[in-house]
Amino acid sequence: MSERTDPAEPSTLIVELEDGSELDDILELEATVLVDFYADWCGPCQLMEGTVEAVAEAVDAPVVKVDVDAFPQVAARFDVSSIPTFIGFTQSEPSDRLIGMQDEESVRQLVD
């Protein structure tokens, strides 16, 4: 699991999934989680990177990035067929989702 934290904001956490079972571990440990399903080749996903980073800095919840090419089984498990897809989890259960380009406030509301 690779973690990037902003030194100015210690609670900022972006986790790039490196193992299919990591997501389950994070969902069990955290009350609220935002999951960003993306692919490196996806133009809209690339455009959303700044928004995802801004949301990660603004919320008190980890943001997990799942590369759908590397982890198709994880994407299929959560019925992700279009990217970018953002899913907010509360108590390990999906609570809401957004598909496609979104503004920062909409993404943030998934975990606020």
Side-chain angles (χ1 to χ4, degrees):
M1 172 169 50
S2 73
E3 300 176 6
R4 292 185 291 155
T5 58
D6 177 357
E9 185 69 39
S11 65
T12 299
L13 179 62
I14 294 180
V15 179
E16 294 186 28
L17 205 64
E18 292 180 359
D19 178 281
S21 64
E22 274 181 308
L23 182 57
D24 288 330
D25 295 340
I26 294 166
L27 292 174
E28 285 180 29
L29 290 172
E30 301 289 339
T32 306
V33 177
L34 174 64
V35 181
D36 171 14
F37 290 89
Y38 76 99
D40 289 334
W41 51 263
C42 168
C45 299
Q46 293 170 3
L47 292 172
M48 289 298 300
E49 284 183 21
T51 299
V52 171
E53 289 174 3
V55 169
E57 291 176 13
V59 300
D60 189 24
V63 175
V64 180
K65 295 183 65 67
V66 178
D67 183 338
V68 298
D69 289 332
F71 301 102
Q73 71 283 10
V74 176
R77 179 177 160 201
F78 295 105
D79 297 320
V80 173
S81 57
S82 297
I83 52 175
T85 292
F86 304 94
I87 302 178
F89 287 81
T90 304
Q91 304 302 324
S92 301
E93 295 296 321
S95 55
D96 207 355
R97 79 173 50 210
L98 297 169
I99 299 169
M101 297 282 294
Q102 304 292 327
D103 61 38
E104 181 180 336
E105 183 60 30
S106 297
V107 177
R108 181 191 250 178
Q109 287 178 358
L110 290 174
V111 290
D112 269 350

